[in-house]
Amino acid sequence: MANQDASMYPKVEINEAEAVAKAFSDKSGKMVDYPFKFPEMKPYEVRIRILFTGLCHSDASLGKSEWGNENYPLVAGHEIVGVVEKIGNNVSKFQVGERIAAGPIRFYCENCENCKKGDNQLCMGKLEPEAMRIFQGHFGGFATHVQVPDKACFKVPESLPTEAVAPLMCAGITVFAPLKRFVKPGDAVGIIGTGGLGHLAVQYAKAMGCTVTAFTSKVAEKKDELMKLGADQVCSSVDLEELKKLEGTQNYVMNCLTVKNDKQFMSYVSLCKRGGGVLQVGAPASGQLPHLDLLKLANDQISIYGSQVGSSQDTIDMLEFSAKHKILPKIEVFQWNDWQTAFDKCSQSKAKFRCVIDCCTFPHKFREEQQQGLKQQQHQQQQQQQ
């Protein structure tokens, strides 16, 4: 749950605003412009002028209160790439004007057991008044700007095109981290679902030296494209007879779907070899969980692993790996005025792969004034360094 407190971000007239968000006003999923001011910047925070922001199905789940009742207005968004516009007094690793990216993790304690072993995405510390998720208690990236702790931000390799970076910060790290954690060269890896998550998983698994089988409900439509992305074969994810023929063939199966049907889910589990594992990255709505055949799991020693995004180091590795192997998401870019169209396409699972908003298309002189202010800050920073 996001549990945002909109009073932290008071709504103001557009000519007084420091940023404008696309906010959910209720669980209907309808979005409205929300001009606002930020709370006072903390010494460790960075304000990002967002260039592109990605849409994730989890944003739809939040906006529609599918994971529990939310507070409204709610500003989601956790796939962010932009330019540093302002930094707190204690920030040293980023400079005004630098291109950076931010993903789902906003904050972590650095002192708990999980943080100390490098799994800060599993932080167990007390973070109040901060929050672990970028949209938890705070406005997220569905906006012209976002203000986050510097530890939530990452430098972007020069070779990655800006518009493609945003989806990597959630979809990319969500599939990269468990693949990095479990698979090895030569493994047979099945990817269930080849949309926003799965088409990236196919690319990463192939680049890691695996034999990749992509499973999709749209074989005729997607086969050629998935083969170009690296799949060694493309099979149906809904034909139970075809799935049965492939039982016991995969070292690991990554399930990118939110499957409710018991037989369907167990048919994916049965693809695993004995001693294999299911990597579950699809996040269903609350209560929509299939039943498991525990006897099958025990007899074949099949494990099911959950995974949520990745650590800071995983994210750095993902960005560098993506740049090295030229792994990019397939995206459809929308302008600011097309937010609702993009969101509806995402929430209804009609996006072929990934939807991205070009936040530079915000239709107001407000954006021009912000850009002029950024240039002035850059010039002042350069003078101070001389």
Side-chain angles (χ1 to χ4, degrees):
M1 295 177 64
N3 292 321
Q4 289 181 357
D5 180 5
S7 66
M8 293 173 57
Y9 303 87
K11 188 175 183 180
V12 296
E13 294 298 323
I14 186 72
N15 60 343
E16 300 175 351
E18 294 179 309
V20 179
K22 272 294 182 181
F24 297 103
S25 55
D26 55 43
K27 65 174 65 177
S28 69
K30 299 303 179 184
M31 308 176 79
V32 296
D33 279 350
Y34 186 99
F36 67 93
K37 285 184 176 292
F38 285 104
E40 183 178 353
M41 176 170 276
K42 297 181 177 68
Y44 53 82
E45 286 187 326
V46 174
R47 185 176 299 174
I48 303 171
R49 176 170 59 86
I50 300 176
L51 301 177
F52 294 90
T53 191
L55 280 71
C56 177
H57 199 273
S58 61
D59 295 315
S61 295
L62 284 171
K64 295 183 176 182
S65 288
E66 291 178 350
W67 290 342
N69 292 326
E70 299 291 350
N71 297 331
Y72 297 95
L74 182 149
V75 179
H78 54 275
E79 297 183 344
I80 301 162
V81 61
V83 175
V84 177
E85 187 169 89
K86 186 177 180 180
I87 58 176
N89 294 333
N90 294 344
V91 175
S92 59
K93 65 177 182 177
F94 300 115
Q95 294 185 357
V96 171
E98 186 174 3
R99 184 178 69 151
I100 62 173
I105 302 300
R106 174 185 172 87
F107 204 77
Y108 45 89
C109 74
E110 303 185 50
N111 296 313
C112 71
E113 178 183 349
N114 285 340
C115 283
K116 287 182 177 179
K117 68 179 182 180
D119 290 328
N120 49 41
Q121 82 280 15
L122 301 176
C123 177
M124 302 181 297
K126 294 182 179 181
L127 303 180
E128 293 82 0
E130 274 294 353
M132 185 172 180
R133 296 285 183 173
I134 204 164
F135 45 72
Q136 194 173 28
H138 299 265
F139 278 10
F142 283 5
T144 60
H145 298 72
V146 69
Q147 190 165 295
V148 293
D150 60 350
K151 66 173 65 178
C153 304
F154 299 87
K155 295 179 183 292
V156 179
E158 289 186 8
S159 64
L160 291 178
T162 302
E163 66 274 14
V165 171
L168 294 179
M169 300 309 296
C170 178
I173 187 60
T174 293
V175 296
F176 175 85
L179 288 172
K180 170 191 167 187
R181 199 176 303 139
F182 291 104
V183 309
K184 61 183 185 300
D187 278 349
V189 177
I191 308 297
I192 310 293
T194 55
L197 296 178
H199 86 289
L200 283 167
V202 167
Q203 296 179 72
Y204 286 129
K206 187 63 177 179
M208 291 176 183
C210 300
T211 300
V212 182
T213 301
F215 293 86
T216 175
S217 61
K218 302 175 182 178
V219 174
E221 177 184 332
K222 287 191 171 184
K223 182 175 180 178
D224 289 345
E225 192 159 16
L226 290 170
M227 297 289 280
K228 290 178 182 177
L229 291 176
D232 294 284
Q233 62 177 333
V234 179
C235 302
S236 173
S237 62
V238 293
D239 186 332
L240 296 181
E241 290 302 315
E242 184 173 353
L243 288 167
K244 190 171 182 61
K245 293 176 184 177
L246 294 170
E247 286 183 359
T249 60
Q250 308 297 308
N251 295 100
Y252 289 97
V253 170
M254 173 170 281
N255 183 26
C256 302
L257 303 179
T258 57
V259 181
K260 295 180 283 186
N261 183 282
D262 297 354
K263 287 185 178 179
Q264 196 80 30
F265 186 79
M266 286 309 301
S267 69
Y268 300 154
V269 174
S270 296
L271 293 170
C272 291
K273 297 179 179 181
R274 288 192 161 192
V278 176
L279 311 178
Q280 180 65 37
V281 295
S286 179
Q288 297 182 356
L289 303 175
H291 293 91
L292 299 177
D293 183 347
L294 297 181
L295 183 61
K296 169 70 175 176
L297 299 182
N299 284 344
D300 287 355
Q301 202 169 309
I302 295 173
S303 300
I304 297 180
Y305 304 95
S307 185
Q308 62 150 347
V309 293
S311 67
S312 296
Q313 188 59 53
D314 288 335
T315 304
I316 292 169
D317 292 345
M318 177 274 298
L319 289 169
E320 292 178 350
F321 192 90
S322 299
K324 179 180 179 180
H325 295 278
K326 299 180 181 179
I327 294 173
L328 300 172
K330 298 287 185 178
I331 60 173
E332 184 176 355
V333 179
F334 295 82
Q335 296 195 352
W336 183 275
N337 286 340
D338 296 324
W339 262 104
Q340 195 67 54
T341 301
F343 175 78
D344 291 344
K345 197 168 188 177
C346 175
S347 65
Q348 295 166 17
S349 300
K350 292 182 178 179
K352 187 174 181 181
F353 293 114
R354 216 67 181 176
C355 297
V356 173
I357 301 292
D358 180 353
C359 294
C360 295
T361 60
F362 179 73
H364 197 275
K365 67 177 183 178
F366 159 82
R367 172 62 88 174
E368 297 175 7
E369 292 169 354
Q370 293 287 326
Q371 290 175 334
Q372 183 61 37
L374 176 61
K375 291 179 181 178
Q376 292 175 355
Q377 289 185 52
Q378 285 180 274
H379 178 68
Q380 292 173 359
Q381 190 174 63
Q382 289 171 355
Q383 287 184 323
Q384 292 172 357
Q385 292 175 347
Q386 290 175 354

